[in-house]
Amino acid sequence: AQTVTQSQPEMSVQEAETVTLSCTYDTSENNYYLFWYKQPPSRQMILVIRQEAYKQQNATENRFSVNFQKAAKSFSLKISDSQLGDTAMYFCAFSLRGGSEKLVFGKGTKLTVNP
Amino acid sequence: DTAVSQTPKYLVTQMGNDKSIKCEQNLGHDTMYWYKQDSKKFLKIMFSYNNKELIINETVPNRFSPKSPDKAHLNLHINSLELGDSAVYFCASSPGKTYQETQYFGPGTRLLVL
């Protein structure tokens, strides 16, 4: 069974600064995907970024980037130039490759961006 | 042009009642899912359907019964509601094809059982 661990229940950062959220996972499989989802107070689950395990290059989406270390089973999210709208719960999630696999979530990190 | 929609958004009901939550997606996806988010914000899979067939059923009490009339709809019926069923229920969908694993979520349904 796969597990996902987010060791930081809460974090805070000043506006315009950079913050890194940690995520580790455990699996014996080789083909899988990793995701970061954002859940603002509106409750909507929003995909931030995804990483295919077979790709060595780290994924980036504008101010969001990941540090994917497959051997260490680590998948951290870096948010640059933090904005007030980044305040949200952030969930790391794992999915096997296959098309209809479930997402396994970590417990989330509550990020607060301070003005 | 909402991609994944759920109704209702809020549901307040008494213990012992039966209720349903509906989900629809207009993305043309083959797979749909139900997740439960508890009071501590933990998200866990409940069910998934691919082209109207049940493919995941994760140790959920049989008071919960999903139904998929077609691949664009996945409803969740809950019998004999209990206090512990209070949670946010999310519907999601994905293309259901290898290399297209991203899931897209609905807005969630907050269920409160009194």
Side-chain angles (χ1 to χ4, degrees):
Chain A
Q2 289 77 33
T3 59
V4 176
T5 302
Q6 292 178 250
S7 58
Q8 305 149 316
E10 292 192 42
M11 294 191 73
S12 63
V13 63
Q14 292 299 121
E15 201 175 2
E17 292 187 349
T18 296
V19 64
T20 298
L21 308 184
S22 301
C23 173
T24 58
Y25 59 95
D26 190 27
T27 183
S28 58
E29 302 289 336
N30 201 40
N31 296 313
Y32 53 87
Y33 290 81
L34 295 160
F35 304 86
W36 280 97
Y37 280 88
K38 167 185 175 181
Q39 187 178 39
S42 67
R43 199 172 69 212
Q44 180 72 49
M45 292 289 289
I46 302 165
L47 177 69
V48 175
I49 200 165
R50 69 173 239 165
Q51 174 80 42
E52 293 90 341
Y54 62 87
K55 289 188 179 178
Q56 292 188 339
Q57 187 173 6
N58 288 324
T60 62
E61 285 288 340
N62 301 313
R63 298 183 295 108
F64 298 88
S65 61
V66 298
N67 184 0
F68 173 48
Q69 302 287 328
K70 191 172 184 179
K73 295 181 182 172
S74 169
F75 183 61
S76 60
L77 175 69
K78 185 170 86 170
I79 306 174
S80 303
D81 185 25
S82 296
Q83 300 176 0
L84 296 178
D86 296 333
T87 293
M89 284 286 289
Y90 286 81
F91 293 96
C92 180
F94 172 103
S95 163
L96 291 172
R97 192 175 79 190
S100 300
E101 300 292 336
K102 65 184 179 184
L103 284 170
V104 176
F105 286 91
K107 292 188 176 180
T109 296
K110 184 177 179 182
L111 176 68
T112 302
V113 180
N114 298 309
Chain B
D1 61 341
T2 305
V4 183
S5 59
Q6 294 179 228
T7 52
K9 285 197 168 59
Y10 298 94
L11 190 50
V12 181
T13 188
Q14 300 288 328
M15 255 178 26
N17 284 350
D18 303 339
K19 289 293 178 186
S20 292
I21 306 171
K22 295 186 176 183
C23 178
E24 177 181 3
Q25 54 94 4
N26 62 7
L27 297 167
H29 288 170
D30 286 347
T31 305
M32 296 184 72
Y33 311 79
W34 279 110
Y35 289 87
K36 178 181 179 180
Q37 185 173 41
D38 63 22
S39 59
K40 295 184 179 178
K41 302 283 190 182
F42 185 59
L43 279 146
K44 189 171 180 189
I45 185 74
M46 299 175 70
F47 302 102
S48 77
Y49 273 72
N50 180 268
N51 268 319
K52 302 193 295 175
E53 287 194 31
L54 179 68
I55 54 172
I56 296 176
N57 182 345
E58 287 270 320
T59 322
V60 178
N62 57 16
R63 297 182 296 103
F64 290 79
S65 52
K67 284 189 172 54
S68 182
D70 55 61
K71 73 173 193 177
H73 296 84
L74 180 61
N75 304 323
L76 183 64
H77 188 75
I78 315 170
N79 289 327
S80 304
L81 278 155
E82 300 178 357
L83 294 177
D85 297 332
S86 294
V88 179
Y89 292 85
F90 284 98
C91 177
S93 73
S94 70
K97 298 174 175 56
T98 305
Y99 299 108
Q100 298 180 42
E101 276 76 356
T102 301
Q103 294 183 24
Y104 299 88
F105 283 77
T109 296
R110 181 177 291 279
L111 171 65
L112 179 59
V113 182
L114 302 173

